[in-house]
Amino acid sequence: MNHDFHRGEKVLPPSSLEGKARETMHNAFWDHLKEQLSATPPDFSCALELLKEIKEILLSLLLPRQNRLRSEIEEALDSGLLKQEAERGALNVLRLSKYIISMMTLLCAPVRDEAVQSLDSITDSARLLRGIFQVLGLMKMDMMNYTIQSRQPHPQEHSIRRERAQFQERLDQQPGLLDHTTKWLSRAAADLDMQPPACPDAPDPSGVACPSADEAASSPEPLSPTMVLSQAFLNLLLWDPDDREFPETLLSDRARLRELEAQLRRCTVLASVLLVASSFSGSVLFGSPQFVDKLKRVTKALLEELDSRPEEAMLTVSEQVSQEIHQSLKNMGLAALSSDSTASLMGQLQDIALKENCVRSVIDQRIHLFLKCCLVLGVQRSLLDLPGGLTLIEAELAELGQKFVNLTHHNQQVFGPYYAEILKTLLPPSQALQTEVESL
């Protein structure tokens, strides 16, 4: 069961026959509406139908207890009164649109705030109605997703019980079915026992000092089931594809884990690129949200080929980032980078293609630390104290962290009892009372 499921807007390829047909029909309708409203006297027949449909959509977005708003919308967009105003030639489409936008502002999810606010700048009645209709479509989809998610707990509980029962049937027939899972958890416990301080010798671009080996050894933290399981889940994102001993309890999630691994890799490279670029262009450019957003968009688009052709992808990234910095400095009337600085910038960016690159290694360790915090503290709390070098990719990390937490949380709900039994054999006797695996 995919608990990240949600409905999204259907986007047809512009070149497809269906896409062309739909675009032609839509444009024809909105062109016709514009002609009607521009006529002398105006023809409001299409506008009345649109307003009627908009009213129904607004009412569908209300919660049962929002009776006052329901009455207000019914009165303001009463079809009978609007028809009378249209017959008198007194229907004020622009005024009604502004009222509709005010209702949308109250009812929309935060993710739609910007889209709703952008409607205020449209002064053409036909274009404004078209924009309202488009954003209302997105709001309907948001409400549908909210409804689906709010009704998920019972199907989730059923899914958990069913998955556990099916696994138990297989385990009864194959007593060694948990062998790989046991090795996976054992390896995580061993990793925690032997784990050195993170990157003690590597240069730290953010200037944050790493603890020394002596400091780490002087205050070892006793292992707990939560620590071991968190480390085990993190190890899945570094799994060697040639290692056939993948834990049996996660076989059904392997494809999603590979997707998360690729997403993690892109986040690591993106943050590394931004960190290197900021060290050359300084706070002036990186103090501009518009510049940072553009640089992120450009870089993310070029990283699509990172997995198949890392060197070529980073060469293209280095050229484009260098060009963006040069152009932005020029537009702001600032001195351009020298030829030596430009060559150094491009060289450091191209070196990020190597997994052992120092900047990339530090960023990778910090993203793994963030993900570990997500498992223990939750995504939102972990975002409040991001390690250095990660603040510019906060949105990307939030998405990655939430997907990872959702996957591991469901897996733990299904297989937690099996993990608890295995961990009893791995942890010291002093931890025996804590072997019931907590919910991450």
Side-chain angles (χ1 to χ4, degrees):
M1 183 173 182
N2 184 355
H3 302 283
D4 293 330
F5 170 80
H6 70 285
R7 289 185 64 97
E9 185 181 15
K10 183 180 180 182
V11 180
L12 296 170
S15 58
S16 70
L17 183 60
E18 186 181 356
K20 290 179 179 178
R22 178 175 292 190
E23 184 180 3
T24 301
M25 291 173 61
H26 283 190
N27 289 338
F29 173 81
W30 295 110
D31 289 344
H32 181 58
L33 173 67
K34 186 175 181 65
E35 289 175 5
Q36 284 192 339
L37 295 179
S38 302
T40 306
D43 181 351
F44 294 111
S45 55
C46 279
L48 286 172
E49 289 301 317
L50 272 177
L51 290 169
K52 182 179 178 181
E53 191 164 352
I54 287 171
K55 171 188 169 184
E56 294 304 317
I57 295 174
L58 287 174
L59 291 175
S60 73
L61 296 174
L62 295 176
L63 298 174
R65 65 177 180 275
Q66 293 178 305
N67 295 320
R68 184 185 62 78
L69 281 179
R70 187 178 302 276
S71 299
E72 183 180 329
I73 293 171
E74 291 273 15
E75 181 179 347
L77 298 176
D78 181 86
S79 299
L81 292 176
L82 295 182
K83 185 177 180 181
Q84 291 177 19
E85 290 182 10
E87 290 171 349
R88 298 196 309 268
L91 187 67
N92 191 329
V93 175
L94 202 58
R95 178 183 61 79
L96 288 169
S97 298
K98 295 298 182 184
Y99 169 78
I100 292 166
I101 292 172
S102 69
M103 285 295 105
M104 292 168 68
T105 302
L106 290 176
L107 299 175
C108 74
V111 71
R112 305 298 176 199
D113 284 343
E114 187 176 347
V116 174
Q117 290 169 7
S118 68
L119 297 173
D120 279 326
S121 60
I122 303 175
T123 55
D124 178 79
S125 296
R127 281 187 58 227
L128 184 53
L129 284 174
R130 183 173 189 171
I132 286 172
F133 214 72
Q134 289 173 338
V135 178
L136 279 174
L138 298 175
M139 290 170 63
K140 277 178 63 179
M141 188 171 61
D142 294 337
M143 177 58 79
M144 191 179 304
N145 287 329
Y146 169 77
T147 303
I148 292 172
Q149 291 170 7
S150 66
R151 293 177 180 175
Q152 271 191 352
H154 295 301
Q156 281 183 8
E157 291 172 11
H158 176 72
S159 171
I160 290 166
R161 288 196 297 268
R162 187 184 70 249
E163 287 183 57
R164 189 182 297 161
Q166 290 173 345
F167 187 82
Q168 184 62 50
E169 287 180 10
R170 294 172 56 208
L171 184 60
D172 292 340
Q173 297 171 3
Q174 307 173 53
L177 191 58
L178 284 170
D179 288 353
H180 294 168
T181 301
T182 302
K183 289 182 180 179
W184 166 61
L185 292 173
S186 300
R187 190 180 306 171
D191 288 344
L192 289 171
D193 273 333
M194 302 170 57
Q195 204 168 64
C199 190
D201 300 319
D204 188 337
S206 72
V208 179
C210 296
S212 68
D214 291 339
E215 289 172 336
S218 64
S219 56
E221 188 175 354
L223 294 185
S224 70
T226 300
M227 290 171 60
V228 174
L229 199 53
S230 297
Q231 183 63 41
F233 282 131
L234 284 170
N235 288 348
L236 295 171
L237 298 177
L238 300 170
W239 199 268
D240 183 351
D242 295 328
D243 187 344
R244 298 182 180 275
E245 296 187 346
F246 198 79
E248 299 89 346
T249 55
L250 283 139
L251 286 174
S252 62
D253 292 316
R254 192 162 192 178
R256 293 176 66 198
L257 283 164
R258 284 174 178 163
E259 292 174 7
L260 287 175
E261 183 183 352
Q263 189 174 349
L264 168 62
R265 190 159 48 248
R266 289 192 294 271
C267 282
T268 300
V269 173
L270 175 62
S272 301
V273 167
L274 295 174
L275 190 59
V276 170
S278 67
S279 69
F280 281 85
S281 55
S283 59
V284 177
L285 290 186
F286 274 76
S288 165
Q290 292 81 7
F291 172 78
V292 174
D293 288 344
K294 183 178 181 182
L295 203 59
K296 285 172 66 174
R297 287 197 306 272
V298 168
T299 303
K300 285 197 280 189
L302 296 175
L303 291 180
E304 291 300 321
E305 297 184 352
L306 179 68
D307 293 334
S308 57
R309 300 189 304 165
E311 288 80 10
E312 291 88 337
M314 290 312 301
L315 174 60
T316 308
V317 167
S318 70
E319 293 171 346
Q320 191 63 42
V321 169
S322 175
Q323 182 179 333
E324 292 292 339
I325 290 176
H326 174 80
Q327 189 60 48
S328 297
L329 289 172
K330 182 179 178 182
N331 292 343
M332 297 178 71
L334 300 173
L337 295 179
S338 66
S339 57
D340 288 345
S341 294
T342 301
S344 179
L345 167 64
M346 294 180 65
Q348 290 189 38
L349 290 174
Q350 291 170 43
D351 286 345
I352 294 172
L354 305 173
K355 292 182 179 180
E356 61 271 19
N357 172 262
C358 179
V359 174
R360 179 169 172 172
S361 296
V362 171
I363 292 295
D364 185 62
Q365 290 171 11
R366 291 178 179 179
I367 293 181
H368 277 84
L369 175 61
F370 165 75
L371 291 175
K372 180 178 284 191
C373 290
C374 287
L375 292 178
V376 178
L377 303 175
V379 177
Q380 294 306 316
R381 283 184 62 187
S382 302
L383 288 170
L384 296 176
D385 190 22
L386 284 174
L390 302 187
T391 53
L392 293 178
I393 61 163
E394 180 177 343
E396 290 78 8
L397 289 178
E399 179 185 349
L400 174 65
Q402 195 60 60
K403 287 181 180 179
F404 189 49
V405 167
N406 289 347
L407 186 152
T408 57
H409 179 69
H410 178 73
N411 176 270
Q412 189 194 2
Q413 286 183 309
V414 175
F415 299 105
Y418 302 104
Y419 296 152
E421 289 302 312
I422 295 171
L423 288 170
K424 284 180 182 179
T425 67
L426 299 179
L427 296 176
S430 60
Q431 301 298 317
L433 296 177
Q434 302 179 34
T435 52
E436 183 176 347
V437 180
E438 303 166 9
S439 177
L440 293 179

